[in-house]
């Protein structure tokens, strides 16, 4: 016989469990718990601020391994099929920015969504890139994976000129308050250039080589897309093709490693054209995939 | 070869974290009724699973193993937590008694939720495993390392407390009123 209390009890438990904010789940996913690592980092104490509830996070260092970006795909995953991942990524980004905004951050994204707003979301397997903009020529790019969050900040003083950038990293920590601790992240950026013949079919291309604290290198290109641009495919110097994500006047693409994009096949309402990406679009890859390179803007948080 | 195997293991574990952390956190939250403690527990749990991952991933149900670790951590820590908390589980007597029919009418999710938070962690754990994780009495008993009879008795005691708690809002209970008026 079913007790009368069972059904309301199930509902009460379900309702109470549903109150957990996405940011809490994102925090758990941002911790690195790699198996069979030889070393443990000293537990990190995280304050109660910003809703960070983890108080004795224990994390595993990577022990020199360089996990690849497992699950990455050259073609974006439909974001509609990854809504929970996107929500978690956005929550992680906002929490990270609230706790540790990159140096020179223009308008911090707040938990209430004020300030910069998300303009593009690119999901590739378990990885999510979200670009935030505030309507000016400035943007923030947030890159999240199962065990890290990287936020870069970019501002421009006019078309084609990149003047600043910084990176802060949350990864290998138990919470956002210890973001980026001890590990510098290389950030080698190029200049923003226009590709195309008219603003409506142009891409404003901006590239950067980055390296996670665990040594995993990746390369990211992003920028604004003209109103006629409906898609773009990047061709790398190793022959690989990466389909960029275009959304709301922005485009973005990234790939594991340090290969450089050499051409962009830009699809507009009038057809597809192949454009060479000028050499200065992207700087040389950082030697060894890590460390600073000339002109880089690096922020390794203490 | 060893490097490739390790890579695969890391990938599998990261996928496991992505797929299970949500559920583990909700279960932990319901058992300990505190989000901060729940996050700590899940982190500890996943760290333990990580260290045993080569064995865990070979299991039929890695999630079931992680859930067992989580519940054990939660209940092991419950005694320690109760010592340091000012507010422990509040035992109280109902002010009046109503018929069973009346009691059933007031049993709904909204009135049950605060009462659930007043249950001792072990009783809440049994209810969470039975009615949130949908385990059978036998599975619950196996996970907790007790008899089926103990699970039944614990469930019955918890039900009794939940029913009695429906009699009036918690804020009107004498003990809480006294605390709130300080």
């Amino acid at each position: 016989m079913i007790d009368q209390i069972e059904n309301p009890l199930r509902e009460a438990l379900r309702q109470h469990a549903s109150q957990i904010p996405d940011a809490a789940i994102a925090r758990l996913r941002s911790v690195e718990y790699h198996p069979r690592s030889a070393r443990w980092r000293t537990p990190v104490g995280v304050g109660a601020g910003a809703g960070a509830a983890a108080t004795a996070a224990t994390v595993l260092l990577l022990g020199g391994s360089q996990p690849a970006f497992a699950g990455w795909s050259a073609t974006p995953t439909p974001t509609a099929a990854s809504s929970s991942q996107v929500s978690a990524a956005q929550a992680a980004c906002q929490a990270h920015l609230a706790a540790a905004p990159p140096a020179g951050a223009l308008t911090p994204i707040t938990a209430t969504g004020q300030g910069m707003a998300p303009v593009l979301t690119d999901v590739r397997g378990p990885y999510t890139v979200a670009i935030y903009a505030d309507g000016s020529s400035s943007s923030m790019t947030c890159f999240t994976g199962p065990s890290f969050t990287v936020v870069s900040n970019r501002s421009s003083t006019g078309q084609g000129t990149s003047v600043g950038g910084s990176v802060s990293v949350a990864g290998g920590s138990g919470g956002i308050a210890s973001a980026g601790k001890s590990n510098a992240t290389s950030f080698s950026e190029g200049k923003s250039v226009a590709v195309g013949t008219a603003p409506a079919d142009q891409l404003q291309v901006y590239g950067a080589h980055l390296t996670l604290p665990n040594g995993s290198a990746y390369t990211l290109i992003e920028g604004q897309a003209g109103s006629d641009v409906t898609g773009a495919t990047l061709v790398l110097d190793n022959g690989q093709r990466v389909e960029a994500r275009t959304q709301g006047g922005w485009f973005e693409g990234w790939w594991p490693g340090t290969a450089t994009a050499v051409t962009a096949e830009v699809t507009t309402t009038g057809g597809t054209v192949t454009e060479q990406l000028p050499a200065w679009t992207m700087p040389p890859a950082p030697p060894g995939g890590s460390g600073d390179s000339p002109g880089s803007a690096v922020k390794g948080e203490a | 070869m060893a490097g490739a195997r390790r890579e695969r293991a890391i990938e599998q574990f990261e996928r496991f974290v992505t797929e299970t952390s949500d559920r583990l956190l909700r279960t932990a939250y319901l058992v300990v009724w505190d989000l901060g403690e729940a996050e700590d527990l899940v982190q500890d749990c996943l760290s333990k699973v990580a260290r045993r991952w080569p064995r865990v991933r070979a299991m039929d149900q890695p999630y079931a193993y992680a859930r067992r670790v989580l519940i054990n951590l939660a209940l092991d820590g419950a005694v320690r937590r109760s010592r340091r908390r000012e507010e422990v589980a509040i035992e109280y007597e109902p002010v009046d008694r109503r018929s069973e029919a009346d009691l059933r009418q007031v049993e709904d999710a909204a009135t049950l939720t605060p009462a659930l938070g007043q249950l001792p962690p072990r009783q809440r754990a049994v209810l969470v495993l039975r009615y949130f994780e949908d385990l059978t009495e036998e599975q619950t008993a196996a996970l907790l390392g007790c008899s089926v009879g103990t699970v039944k008795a614990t469930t019955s005691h918890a039900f009794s407390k939940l029913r009695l708690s429906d009699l009036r809002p918690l804020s009107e209970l004498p003990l809480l009123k006294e605390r709130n008026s300080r």
Side-chain angles (χ1 to χ4, degrees):
Chain A
M1 176 182 151
I2 296 176
D3 196 296
Q4 295 286 334
I5 205 170
E6 288 185 342
N7 287 334
L9 175 58
R10 286 183 203 277
E11 181 60 17
L13 291 169
R14 191 194 63 75
Q15 285 180 8
H16 198 63
S18 69
Q19 294 174 357
I20 291 179
D22 289 340
I25 298 163
R27 278 197 294 273
L28 281 174
R29 289 177 177 163
S30 72
V31 176
E32 291 196 2
Y33 320 84
H34 286 277
R36 300 185 67 82
S37 176
R39 290 188 297 156
W40 284 85
R41 182 183 291 180
T42 305
V44 179
V46 179
T55 55
T58 49
V59 296
L60 285 164
L61 290 176
L62 290 169
S65 71
Q66 294 191 11
F69 289 95
W72 174 84
S73 63
T75 303
T77 308
T79 52
S82 315
S83 57
S84 61
Q85 179 177 323
V86 170
S87 298
Q90 291 182 341
C93 293
Q94 292 185 349
H96 179 57
L97 284 165
L106 301 170
T107 310
I109 301 167
T110 66
T112 57
Q114 295 173 337
M116 288 190 170
V119 292
L120 178 146
T121 306
D122 177 25
V123 176
R124 295 172 193 265
Y127 310 98
T128 305
V129 171
I131 297 178
Y132 296 81
D134 60 1
S136 69
S137 55
S138 304
S139 63
M140 285 186 180
T141 302
C142 185
F143 179 34
T144 59
S147 57
F148 63 84
T149 299
V150 177
V151 178
S152 59
N153 173 43
R154 183 166 69 93
S155 61
S156 303
T157 55
Q159 185 172 345
T161 305
S162 168
V163 297
S166 64
V167 173
S168 58
V169 179
S173 70
I176 54 178
S178 56
K181 196 157 184 140
S182 77
N183 290 304
T185 294
S186 70
F187 185 89
S188 174
E189 61 179 341
K191 294 179 179 178
S192 177
V193 298
V195 175
T197 56
D201 67 6
Q202 277 185 350
L203 297 177
Q204 291 288 337
V205 179
Y206 168 85
H209 293 294
L210 300 102
T211 308
L212 295 179
N214 65 16
S216 298
Y218 65 101
T219 303
L220 183 144
I221 279 185
E222 65 181 59
Q224 288 179 280
S227 58
D228 288 350
V229 176
T230 58
T233 298
L234 303 164
V235 182
L236 312 187
D237 57 6
N238 62 6
Q240 185 166 20
R241 298 167 62 84
V242 177
E243 183 181 331
R245 169 93 169 129
T246 54
Q247 180 184 357
W250 290 76
F251 91 103
E252 174 275 342
W254 74 274
W255 52 93
T258 56
T260 295
V262 289
T263 60
E265 296 172 1
V266 183
T267 302
T268 67
T269 50
T272 299
V273 295
T274 300
E275 300 281 354
Q276 292 291 321
L277 294 175
W280 59 84
T281 302
M282 300 197 68
S290 62
D292 300 355
S293 58
S296 65
V298 179
K299 184 188 179 200
E301 296 182 23
Chain B
M1 287 294 287
R5 275 202 303 274
R6 178 182 158 78
E7 285 290 312
R8 266 200 309 279
I10 290 175
E11 289 171 19
Q12 288 176 336
F13 182 75
E14 288 182 345
R15 202 176 312 129
F16 176 79
V17 170
T18 301
E19 292 171 353
T20 63
S21 50
D22 184 332
R23 185 82 181 177
L24 288 171
L25 181 60
R26 295 186 199 284
T27 298
Y29 178 52
L30 291 175
V31 172
V32 300
W33 218 251
D34 180 283
L35 182 57
E37 289 181 13
E39 283 192 58
D40 283 352
L41 283 171
V42 176
Q43 286 195 29
D44 288 349
C45 166
L46 289 172
S47 295
K48 285 180 182 293
V49 172
R51 278 180 283 176
R52 300 176 184 125
W53 183 244
R55 274 190 294 151
V56 176
R57 70 171 167 164
M59 296 176 178
D60 289 339
Q61 296 181 321
Y63 174 74
Y65 175 81
R67 181 175 55 201
R68 178 197 295 267
V69 170
L70 180 75
I71 297 296
N72 286 337
L73 285 170
L75 296 182
D76 287 349
V79 175
R80 176 168 39 81
R81 289 193 299 274
S82 70
R83 283 190 190 126
R84 73 165 187 258
R85 275 184 181 164
E86 277 189 21
E87 293 186 11
V88 295
I90 299 170
E91 301 286 345
Y92 50 83
E93 290 296 322
V95 176
D96 60 2
R97 292 189 176 278
R98 302 179 193 178
S99 68
E100 277 294 307
D102 289 339
L103 292 177
R104 285 176 186 154
Q105 284 177 358
V106 295
E107 284 166 1
D108 58 39
T111 54
L112 283 177
T113 301
L116 276 166
Q118 303 300 323
L119 292 179
R122 191 167 184 87
Q123 287 186 5
R124 207 163 45 232
V126 170
L127 296 188
V128 169
L129 292 172
R130 293 278 288 111
Y131 300 105
F132 184 71
E133 289 284 321
D134 285 327
L135 299 190
T136 64
E137 288 174 336
E138 290 75 16
Q139 290 168 328
T140 303
L143 191 154
L144 293 173
C146 63
S147 68
V148 172
T150 300
V151 170
K152 287 181 176 176
T154 306
T155 304
S156 177
H157 290 149
F159 279 5
S160 297
K161 288 187 179 179
L162 292 178
R163 286 201 179 88
L164 295 176
S165 70
D166 284 339
L167 289 171
R168 58 171 54 193
L170 286 180
S171 59
E172 293 181 11
L173 288 172
L175 182 55
L176 291 178
K177 267 179 97 171
E178 185 182 344
R179 288 188 178 187
N180 293 337
S181 63
R182 280 178 191 168

